[in-house]
Amino acid sequence: DTAVSQTPKYLVTQMGNDKSIKCEQNLGHDTMYWYKQDSKKFLKIMFSYNNKELIINETVPNRFSPKSPDKAHLNLHINSLELGDSAVYFCASTPQTGRMNTEAFFGQGTRLTVV
Amino acid sequence: AQKITQTQPGMFVQEKEAVTLDCTYDTSDPSYGLFWYKQPSSGEMIFLIYQGSYDQQNATEGRYSLNFQKARKSANLVISASQLGDSAMYFCAMREIQGAQKLVFGQGTRLTINP
């Protein structure tokens, strides 16, 4: 069973389109994250939800909107896609905040290419 | 604000040799956790090892060990007896107990093991 799963794995779309990436975790974790990995492999946190509540919202264009229908799901919707949005997007989860020794479990990543 | 620095963009090592990947961090929080992840060419993020700021001993996990020097704010990853399959990107990351406890990553080091 996949612990953190993202769909789709690859996404190619044209500029200006709206797209969504879905993430689901079956680990019973309370906290979920979205990270963006750019072409230089740098991983930057975008959002974090704890029990469906937004707790981290980094400086991300408001074209990006996360949605958490329940604590096992965290989706990422992107409006009006731009070339600079091309990257690999990772979903991750951890058991709960307040515990330092809990690693984040990552999904396999979604490679988004905007043409 | 927390900050993680990996100063080695690339490392080349002969198979079976030991290798040390450097990581320094900056934080004003007395309680924090340090993590190392491996990202092979297939793209997934694999958790390797964890070190807590209050841990008295250096962490070890199989061939991985963490050389934690708290006063110098460094948390170097040591891989003993390197194998061809160790070729990958390696990321150091930190989480503070204060605030939203986000996991912040360094720039990464690309390790290549030569036969």
Side-chain angles (χ1 to χ4, degrees):
Chain A
D1 269 350
T2 304
V4 182
S5 60
Q6 296 177 228
T7 54
K9 188 170 182 181
Y10 299 98
L11 184 54
V12 181
T13 187
Q14 290 187 325
M15 283 174 56
N17 283 352
D18 303 339
K19 290 293 179 185
S20 292
I21 306 171
K22 295 186 177 181
C23 179
E24 175 183 5
Q25 53 95 1
N26 62 3
L27 299 166
H29 288 172
D30 298 303
T31 306
M32 296 184 72
Y33 308 82
W34 278 110
Y35 282 85
K36 178 181 180 181
Q37 186 173 43
D38 62 24
S39 58
K40 295 183 178 179
K41 300 294 186 181
F42 185 64
L43 274 158
K44 183 172 169 55
I45 190 167
M46 301 173 70
F47 302 104
S48 175
Y49 272 74
N50 182 257
N51 278 319
K52 301 193 297 178
E53 181 182 347
L54 180 67
I55 56 172
I56 295 174
N57 185 349
E58 294 290 296
T59 307
V60 176
N62 58 15
R63 298 182 294 105
F64 290 78
S65 53
K67 284 188 172 53
S68 182
D70 55 61
K71 75 172 192 178
H73 296 84
L74 179 61
N75 303 323
L76 183 64
H77 188 75
I78 315 169
N79 289 326
S80 303
L81 278 155
E82 301 176 357
L83 294 177
D85 298 332
S86 295
V88 179
Y89 292 84
F90 282 98
C91 176
S93 71
T94 56
Q96 64 184 72
T97 56
R99 291 176 57 188
M100 287 293 99
N101 63 343
T102 52
E103 75 269 25
F105 291 77
F106 282 80
Q108 76 272 35
T110 296
R111 181 174 295 277
L112 171 65
T113 304
V114 182
V115 297
Chain B
Q2 60 190 118
K3 186 178 177 182
I4 296 280
T5 303
Q6 295 177 253
T7 57
Q8 305 154 310
M11 288 275 288
F12 295 85
V13 175
Q14 286 299 115
E15 192 179 7
K16 299 181 184 176
E17 289 183 352
V19 56
T20 298
L21 304 182
D22 295 341
C23 173
T24 58
Y25 60 91
D26 187 25
T27 179
S28 56
D29 195 334
S31 180
Y32 50 89
L34 296 156
F35 303 78
W36 277 92
Y37 282 83
K38 172 184 179 181
Q39 186 179 39
S41 57
S42 50
E44 71 269 31
M45 295 292 289
I46 302 168
F47 166 72
L48 296 178
I49 196 167
Y50 164 82
Q51 180 82 45
S53 59
Y54 291 118
D55 292 344
Q56 295 297 312
Q57 292 189 327
N58 288 342
T60 60
E61 288 287 348
R63 293 187 299 112
Y64 304 109
S65 60
L66 206 150
N67 183 1
F68 180 47
Q69 298 187 43
K70 192 170 181 178
R72 300 177 71 174
K73 292 189 175 178
S74 73
N76 299 338
L77 177 70
V78 180
I79 306 174
S80 62
S82 57
Q83 303 170 356
L84 295 179
D86 294 333
S87 294
M89 284 289 292
Y90 288 81
F91 293 95
C92 181
M94 179 173 70
R95 178 189 294 140
E96 296 169 321
I97 198 167
Q98 294 180 2
Q101 300 173 25
K102 58 188 177 183
L103 190 63
V104 176
F105 286 83
Q107 310 94 310
T109 295
R110 183 175 295 280
L111 175 64
T112 303
I113 308 297
N114 295 316

